[in-house]
Every structure is written in C-alpha cells, then in structure tokens.
Amino acid sequence: MTDSAHTEKASRHRRRMQRKKEVVDAAIARADQEKGLLLVLTGNGKGKSSSAFGMIARALGYGMRVGVAQFIKGRSDTGEEAFFRRHENVDWHVLGEGFTWDTQNLERDTETARQGWVIVQNMLRDPGIDLIVLDELTYPLTYRWLDVDRVLEDLKNRPSMQHVVITGRAAPDALCEVADTVTEMRDVKHAFRSGIRAQKGIDL
Amino acid sequence: MTDSAHTEKASRHRRRMQRKKEVVDAAIARADQEKGLLLVLTGNGKGKSSSAFGMIARALGYGMRVGVAQFIKGRSDTGEEAFFRRHENVDWHVLGEGFTWDTQNLERDTETARQGWVIVQNMLRDPGIDLIVLDELTYPLTYRWLDVDRVLEDLKNRPSMQHVVITGRAAPDALCEVADTVTEMRDVKHAFRSGIRAQKGIDL
C-alpha cells in the first residue's frame, strides 16, 4: 500500500469509528436508570452457575454484600464454595440434598426446598444484601416443590436496589417475563459428551 | 389422596428416579478422561465474561493458578479486577485500550493486540498455570489484528492439563471446531435496552 492509500485507509477507519462512537454514546446516555436487576440464566449449555459466581466476584470487588442459596446441590466441596464461603461479605447456603434421582424421595425434596425458601425470604427482605444468587432455583419451580406465584411475589417485594441472579435449565415463562435480563445458554458442544469428566475449576 | 395412593405415588417416583439414576451414573462412568479443556463462550447475551470469572473462582477454590488477559478493555476499575488481582494465585493483564470506536486508530489497535498475544504466549507455555482466561479475544480475531492460525497453533501446543476459556461475540468457526465446550449465550432480554445502565457488580 502506498503512503497516501495507507493514510486514506486510516482516515476512513477513524471516520467510521467516530460515527459508531456517536451511536454507542447515545445509547449509553439513554440508559440512565439505576435499578436492582433480576437476571435469569437458563438453557442447557455450560456457564449458567459460573456466570452467577463471576457476578459475585464483581460485586465483592465493589465491597458489596452477597447472599447465595444453592438448591438441588447437596455437596459442599465445590471450588466456588471453598473460594467464596470464607469471604466475610458472603452468606453461603447449600440447601439441596442432591438430584432427584439421588434422593429418590419426593416428599423430602419438597420439604427441603420449602425450608430453603424460608432462608431466601429472609435475604430478600434484607436491604443490606446487594446481590442474591439463587443457584438452580428453576428445578424446584419446575417440579412444583415451590409455588411460582409465591416466589414471584417475594422477588417483586425485595429492596429496590437488590440484584437477584437465578440459574437453572428450563426457567418458567412467568419468571422470564418479570426478569430484566434473560440469557439462554445454548449448548453448542460439551466436553462431557466426548467422554471427558467434569473438571475441577471448570465444572465444579 | 388416600394413604395407599400416597404410598403408591411415592413408590412410582422412587422407581422412576432409580432408573434415571442408572442412566446418569452410566453416562458419568463413560466420561472418565481428564484433559485440559478449551472452552468458548460466545453469542450476544449477558454472561460470557462473568462465566469465565466464575471459573476463576472455582479454580482458586482448588488452589489452582490462573492467568487472565483482557483484550479490548482498557479500563482497570472493574469489579472483577479489583477482586481477583489482589489474589496471589492470579496474574491479571489488561491488554486493550478500549473499543475500536474509542481508540479510532486501526494501527494502534493491531499493535496493542499483537503485543498482548506475546504475553499470552508466555502463559500458554507455562505448565504452572492451570487456567487461562482470554477475555474478549474473539474481537482481535474478527478484526484480523491477530492471525487465527497462529492463535490456534499456540493453543494446540499448550500443556495438556491447562484449561483455557475464551470469551467474546462471534467466535470464529475455526476456533469453535477445536474447542471442547462451546456455549452460545443467546440474548433473550437485556436490561440495557430498557434504559437501565450497566450496573456495578453485574455488568462491570
């Protein structure tokens, strides 16, 4: 490329980016509200819970207080718990007893979920908690261990600046409707199906 | 429900879950390989970078060492950086100077990305680093600031147990093909479009 062609290319790029900047800046200026968000991370792909844990890290980076309730999961030896539980700004609750096919006891699963929700209700009334993660909450909703209307009502009545992140497959439509942000994690490819076991630091 | 109907229902549930458990256990038994994974988190939805940061938390929970390279992003005041940079097992590199429409200088963007990749190459040769996060790497690939073949070659030659997580919209097909796990974060709904600004602890 000649020097002048080079200069012309750089100049075209600069003009195009200047126009793009105006569009982006205008969109940012329009988005001026502050609000406690309700986020739903659903779908079959890898990344739902880990994304919620990443938001915990972000929140802690700003000195915010975080509450976590893990439904379904019965184990307490995950990397996320080992890492976050020791943090003074985190309340971590493991509320499950394992998957339905592990417990094989419908009544006990229901009772466990309901007791868990009482703990969550207390967090949803506490304006001192800035972010609440309800990990794998969609399953007790789908199995009707918890009443969706009750859950939606409690979410609606939470402090106005409190963020809530809900994870799990097949999030109910009623939940997605009231959410501010919904991401569907689509499973394009997963190492597990190629015979690779769940890896520490990635999957647990 | 009568007592006997109740007992019958519980018993059906137990048998169904027992069969499901056999299927799940067999799948887990088949997935017996250990391997350093290459994960790609792409799509337009919220959750790509935060998911990568959640995996950092998991890895640190197991005492693993982590390297992070943030392309594009020029700012150093995010929650994730404030939180993780102070951790002794984390090497954190902010390699960008902002979005293309902020810098408006194609040559400088290219040079910045190439210098950044040299830092990444050193991490990809270090078997002492268990997890590497290449945040927003897809953009320098899409803009051809970095050569995809060079990047794929370096990824292929990394230590066999090293995990790498790559985030960003529109991941190139060639990258997805060699990845072990690919998730497309589909943007169902985003608070930003309803006029809510990026929130600390959630978006940054």
Side-chain angles (χ1 to χ4, degrees):
Chain A
M1 217 186 284
T2 64
D3 274 5
S4 72
H6 208 89
T7 309
E8 176 52 26
K9 187 185 169 197
S11 165
R12 266 204 318 273
H13 176 82
R14 199 167 52 243
R15 284 196 304 272
R16 205 166 55 236
M17 290 304 127
Q18 180 56 37
R19 283 195 300 272
K20 181 152 187 177
K21 181 173 167 56
E22 286 159 16
V23 172
V24 171
D25 287 350
I28 291 172
R30 273 194 305 275
D32 61 352
Q33 294 173 55
E34 299 279 351
K35 188 190 169 198
L37 299 178
L38 177 61
L39 297 97
V40 173
L41 308 174
T42 190
N44 296 342
K46 195 260 179 300
K48 299 181 289 296
S49 295
S50 52
S51 178
F53 303 144
M55 288 185 254
I56 296 175
R58 282 181 163 157
L60 294 175
Y62 290 108
M64 295 161 89
R65 274 191 59 216
V66 179
V68 182
Q70 292 194 289
F71 288 85
I72 307 297
K73 198 160 288 182
R75 57 192 297 176
S76 269
D77 58 349
T78 56
E80 64 264 22
E81 187 179 350
F83 185 68
F84 285 123
R85 179 161 250 173
R86 61 191 171 208
H87 198 287
E88 59 179 351
N89 277 6
V90 177
D91 289 320
W92 196 282
H93 302 275
V94 175
L95 299 177
E97 296 194 90
F99 292 106
T100 47
W101 52 88
D102 287 323
T103 63
Q104 301 181 16
N105 187 323
L106 186 60
E107 279 188 48
R108 211 174 72 200
D109 286 341
T110 306
E111 187 50 34
T112 303
R114 289 188 182 160
Q115 285 172 10
W117 190 250
V118 174
I119 293 170
V120 173
Q121 284 177 316
N122 286 327
M123 298 198 289
L124 286 169
R125 289 185 197 116
D126 182 352
I129 302 183
D130 303 292
L131 167 64
I132 299 178
V133 170
L134 304 176
D135 190 31
E136 301 186 325
L137 176 67
T138 61
Y139 305 99
L141 293 174
T142 301
Y143 299 144
R144 299 181 186 282
W145 301 340
L146 296 175
D147 178 53
V148 178
D149 293 334
R150 170 79 269 157
V151 166
L152 294 183
E153 187 67 18
D154 292 336
L155 289 170
K156 196 176 105 186
N157 294 329
R158 75 188 194 279
S160 67
M161 284 309 298
Q162 190 179 66
H163 301 300
V164 176
V165 181
I166 294 172
T167 77
R169 295 181 180 210
D173 290 343
L175 179 63
C176 294
E177 273 161 34
V178 300
D180 300 289
T181 293
V182 178
T183 304
E184 184 202 340
M185 267 70 166
R186 203 169 69 80
D187 178 3
V188 179
K189 194 194 264 193
H190 200 298
F192 184 73
R193 287 198 299 279
S194 305
I196 298 165
R197 74 166 74 199
Q199 297 289 303
K200 285 181 183 177
I202 299 292
D203 301 300
L204 68 161
Chain B
M1 217 186 282
T2 65
D3 274 5
S4 72
H6 209 88
T7 309
E8 176 52 26
K9 187 186 170 198
S11 166
R12 265 203 319 275
H13 175 82
R14 199 167 51 243
R15 284 196 303 273
R16 205 166 56 234
M17 289 303 126
Q18 180 57 36
R19 283 194 300 273
K20 181 153 186 176
K21 182 174 168 56
E22 285 159 17
V23 172
V24 171
D25 286 351
I28 291 172
R30 274 195 304 275
D32 61 352
Q33 293 173 54
E34 299 279 352
K35 189 190 167 197
L37 299 178
L38 177 61
L39 296 97
V40 174
L41 307 174
T42 191
N44 296 343
K46 195 260 179 298
K48 299 181 289 296
S49 296
S50 51
S51 179
F53 302 144
M55 288 185 254
I56 295 175
R58 282 182 163 155
L60 294 175
Y62 290 109
M64 295 161 88
R65 275 191 59 217
V66 180
V68 181
Q70 293 194 287
F71 288 84
I72 308 297
K73 199 160 289 183
R75 57 193 296 177
S76 269
D77 58 349
T78 56
E80 64 263 23
E81 187 178 351
F83 185 67
F84 285 122
R85 181 163 247 173
R86 59 191 171 208
H87 198 288
E88 58 179 351
N89 278 7
V90 178
D91 289 320
W92 195 283
H93 303 275
V94 175
L95 300 177
E97 296 193 271
F99 293 105
T100 48
W101 53 87
D102 287 323
T103 63
Q104 300 181 19
N105 186 322
L106 186 60
E107 278 187 50
R108 210 174 72 200
D109 287 340
T110 306
E111 187 50 33
T112 304
R114 289 188 182 159
Q115 286 172 9
W117 191 251
V118 174
I119 293 171
V120 173
Q121 284 177 316
N122 287 327
M123 298 199 288
L124 287 169
R125 289 185 196 117
D126 182 351
I129 301 183
D130 303 292
L131 167 64
I132 299 177
V133 171
L134 304 176
D135 190 33
E136 301 186 323
L137 176 67
T138 62
Y139 306 98
L141 292 174
T142 302
Y143 299 144
R144 300 183 186 280
W145 301 340
L146 296 176
D147 178 53
V148 177
D149 293 334
R150 170 78 269 156
V151 166
L152 294 182
E153 187 67 18
D154 292 337
L155 289 170
K156 195 176 106 186
N157 294 330
R158 75 189 194 277
S160 67
M161 284 309 299
Q162 190 179 66
H163 301 300
V164 176
V165 181
I166 294 172
T167 77
R169 294 181 181 210
D173 291 342
L175 179 62
C176 294
E177 273 162 33
V178 300
D180 300 290
T181 293
V182 179
T183 303
E184 184 202 341
M185 267 71 167
R186 202 169 71 80
D187 179 2
V188 179
K189 193 193 264 192
H190 200 298
F192 185 73
R193 287 198 299 279
S194 305
I196 298 164
R197 74 167 73 199
Q199 296 289 303
K200 284 181 184 176
I202 299 293
D203 301 301
L204 67 160

